[in-house]
Amino acid sequence: MVTQSPTVSLVLGSGGARGLAHIGIIDWLEEHGFTIRSVAGSSMGALVGGIYAAGKLDVYSNWVKALTRTDVFRLLDLSFVWTGLFKGERIIDLLRHLVGEQNIEDLPISYTAVATDIETGKEVWLNRGPLFDAVRASMAIPMVFTPYDYQGSKLVDGGLVNPVPIAPTLNDRSDITIAGKDEPVPQPTAPSNKPTSNNNRYSRAIKRFIAEFHSSAAHGRPPEWGFFDVVSRSFDTMQSTARLKLAAYSPDVIIEIPRNACRMMEFYRASEMIELGRRKAESMLRPLLSPDHV
């Protein structure tokens, strides 16, 4: 059981529109007397956590619950480059207007957004500087949003290397660490090794990329980053490091949101996702409450 006025380190994972369930989790925690001392997040978790840390989660919640399907599409600004379909600037500009720009070091609670350096594959913690620069970098989902240029580095979605970024909270002196994350994807029971035309096409593309990369290196010039390059590097990094990160650290409570709850871009289902987060928090956290909190 948790103590009177328990303190929380909150870790929020990625998941696109499913990440709106984090709002329901936060609402439940506050309604039941928990005090959130720090937030660390990747991708959508960085967005929700950052807005909460700025004290404007109710403003964002009311706004996102009013979105229609048409509104969501209007927020997507085509990039016209091959590193991502959308620039993401329209969304970030709207959030800055809605929430107000703040520096992370001035926020009332500790906040860290996690991103991935696409060129090195390394995890990057963003805990200083403009809040929405950090959010934009952490939510740069490969193929969807263009990488974010940040202090000379190209940053993409933090979920590639740390889908549940517990490490930034390890030095917190809180009573409990709670993580909200996507439910694991079931593994196929009978994978097929039979080559297909798509496999052959991808194989040829990979070989071409490698050849072009070595050719660029031999001539002393950096390779140009294209759509395929970003996708290839991103998924290589994800496969080699995500499982290790999850195994290395374990929160006290994990609240999982089913992958089939909604699709990545279905933000017009915000009310449904927020309520789902609330129900999941109730299910996982109610047994921990002392009689005084029930």
Side-chain angles (χ1 to χ4, degrees), residues 54 59 85 147 234 257-258:
V59 175
L85 296 177
S234 298
I257 306 302

Side-chain angles (χ1 to χ4, degrees), residues 62-181:
N62 290 334
W63 173 78
V64 76
K65 285 190 288 188
L67 287 179
T68 65
R69 189 192 300 256
T70 301
D71 293 331
V72 172
F73 283 107
R74 285 175 177 168
L75 287 170
L76 299 175
D77 45 356
L78 288 172
S79 67
F80 300 104
V81 296
W82 290 107
T83 53
L85 296 177
F86 308 108
K87 292 181 288 186
E89 293 175 3
R90 188 174 299 166
I91 295 172
I92 293 299
D93 287 345
L94 188 147
L95 292 176
R96 284 193 175 103
H97 176 77
L98 195 69
V99 175
E101 184 60 274
Q102 300 185 46
N103 285 332
I104 295 172
E105 57 268 31
D106 297 330
L107 297 176
I109 66 173
S110 174
Y111 169 78
T112 302
V114 175
T116 303
D117 187 322
I118 191 63
E119 295 178 302
T120 66
K122 292 182 178 179
E123 178 178 338
V124 179
W125 293 4
L126 304 172
N127 50 26
R128 298 188 65 82
L131 171 62
F132 286 108
D133 283 0
V135 169
R136 172 61 180 86
S138 186
M139 62 175 273
I141 305 168
M143 298 183 292
V144 180
F145 294 108
T146 57
Y148 189 66
D149 291 322
Y150 183 84
Q151 297 182 358
S153 298
K154 289 186 180 294
L155 302 184
V156 294
D157 196 320
L160 295 176
V161 293
N162 205 341
V164 188
I166 299 167
T169 70
L170 290 180
N171 292 326
D172 292 349
R173 295 183 177 180
S174 56
D175 297 318
I176 187 171
T177 299
I178 298 172
K181 64 180 288 290

Side-chain angles (χ1 to χ4, degrees), residues 7 14 22 24 29 31 33 61 64 79 83 106 127 141 168 171 177 200 208 210 231 235 242 250 268 280 289 291:
T7 57
S14 54
H22 298 325
L29 289 170
E31 289 169 6
S61 179
V64 76
S79 67
T83 53
D106 297 330
N127 50 26
I141 305 168
N171 292 326
T177 299
N200 291 335
R208 185 171 63 252
I210 293 173
V231 174
F235 284 95
S250 178
Y268 51 88
K280 289 290 185 177
L289 294 177

Side-chain angles (χ1 to χ4, degrees), residues 217-230:
H219 288 84
R221 66 178 188 275
E224 294 183 1
W225 286 87
F227 180 83
F228 177 79
D229 309 340
V230 173

